Amino acid sequence: MNLKPFKTVAFSMMLFVFSAQHLKAQDIDGVSSFLVAGVSMDIPKNNKLLIYGGFSPTDKVKALLVLPNFRINKYLTLTPGYTHVNVDLDNGSTLVENQLLAMATLSFPIAKNWTIADRNMYFHRFRTGDDLSFYRNRLGIIHKTELFKKQASVFLHNEVYLSLDNGQFTRNRVILGGDIKLLKWLTPQIMMMYQSDKATGNKILGWLVLTVPLENFGLFK
C-alpha cells in the first residue's frame, strides 16, 4: 500500500494547525458549510470555463459563479469572474449581491509533483448602499499524488484580504484541502478553512465542491 499520500496529508494538517495557532485563534465563533457543484469545459486555445452553483445551509446563501480561465503560459493564468449571490435574512427579506473578480495566478514548480501557487485577486462587491473592494492574495503549496490509483492533489494555502476602501487587512484564511479524479464524470474536492475576520470573528468553513469535467466527454472541443 502506498502510504505517501497519507503522509502528505498528515504533513499538511500539521502545517494547518501550526498556521491557525499563529492567527491568534482563541475562540471559534461559528461553523459554516458550503456545497458547490458545477461543470468544467474546454474552450478554444487550451483554455477552460468553470460554472458552479453553490448553497450554504448554515449561512442561507445561494450563489452562481462563472470563471473562464485563460492560460497565458505554463506559469500564468488569468481569470475574470462573476458571482451572483442571494442571502436569506432572518427578517424574511433577501439580500442580493453581485461580485466582479479579476485574478492572476502564478505557478512555479519547485520539485517533482510540488508547485508553489500565488493567486492575486481584485474583488469588488456590489450591494445596495454597501459596495466594497478588496485585494486578496492566496499563497500556497500544491502536491500532486495518487490515491487509490486515481490522480489526486493536496494543498495548503494562506489567503489575506486587504480592503481597498480603508487600506486595512480585514481577513485571513488558512485553507487545507484536496481533490481526486474519482470518476470520468466526477472530480470531488474537499476544503477546510480557518477564517479570522475583524468584523465577524473566527470561523471554521467546510467546503465540498463537485465538478463534472465535460471535457472528458469531448464536449465543446
Side-chain angles (χ1 to χ4, degrees), residues 2 4-5 144-153 180:
N2 183 11
K4 185 176 180 181
K144 293 183 179 180
T145 184
E146 190 175 86
L147 185 61
F148 306 121
K149 297 183 179 180
K150 303 287 187 179
Q151 293 183 34
S153 65
I180 182 171

Side-chain angles (χ1 to χ4, degrees), residues 75-188:
Y75 302 112
L76 176 63
T77 301
L78 299 181
T79 308
Y82 168 76
T83 308
H84 179 80
V85 180
N86 284 353
V87 183
D88 294 329
L89 302 178
D90 293 336
N91 61 10
S93 62
T94 299
L95 178 66
V96 177
E97 180 175 307
N98 295 283
Q99 302 169 1
L100 293 180
L101 318 173
M103 291 173 274
T105 304
L106 299 169
S107 300
F108 301 99
I110 55 174
K112 183 179 180 180
N113 297 327
W114 290 89
T115 301
I116 287 180
D118 183 27
R119 189 185 74 178
N120 300 271
M121 177 194 293
Y122 171 76
F123 172 97
H124 186 82
R125 184 185 77 184
F126 296 95
R127 182 189 287 179
T128 303
D130 191 25
D131 291 357
L132 292 174
S133 295
F134 289 94
Y135 165 71
R136 295 166 53 175
N137 179 266
R138 190 182 72 182
L139 179 64
I141 188 166
I142 304 166
H143 178 52
K144 293 183 179 180
T145 184
E146 190 175 86
L147 185 61
F148 306 121
K149 297 183 179 180
K150 303 287 187 179
Q151 293 183 34
S153 65
V154 292
F155 51 84
L156 181 68
H157 300 294
N158 188 81
E159 184 172 29
V160 295
Y161 286 57
L162 173 65
S163 171
L164 299 179
D165 298 313
N166 59 28
Q168 296 183 355
F169 290 97
T170 60
R171 177 182 290 179
N172 198 102
R173 281 180 175 175
V174 180
I175 307 162
L176 173 65
D179 59 62
I180 182 171
K181 295 183 178 180
L182 187 62
L183 301 166
K184 181 179 180 180
W185 55 270
L186 183 63
T187 301

Side-chain angles (χ1 to χ4, degrees), residues 38-50:
V39 298
S40 65
M41 64 190 78
D42 288 335
I43 54 179
K45 298 183 179 180
N46 297 318
N47 301 309
K48 195 172 292 291
L49 175 63
L50 306 174

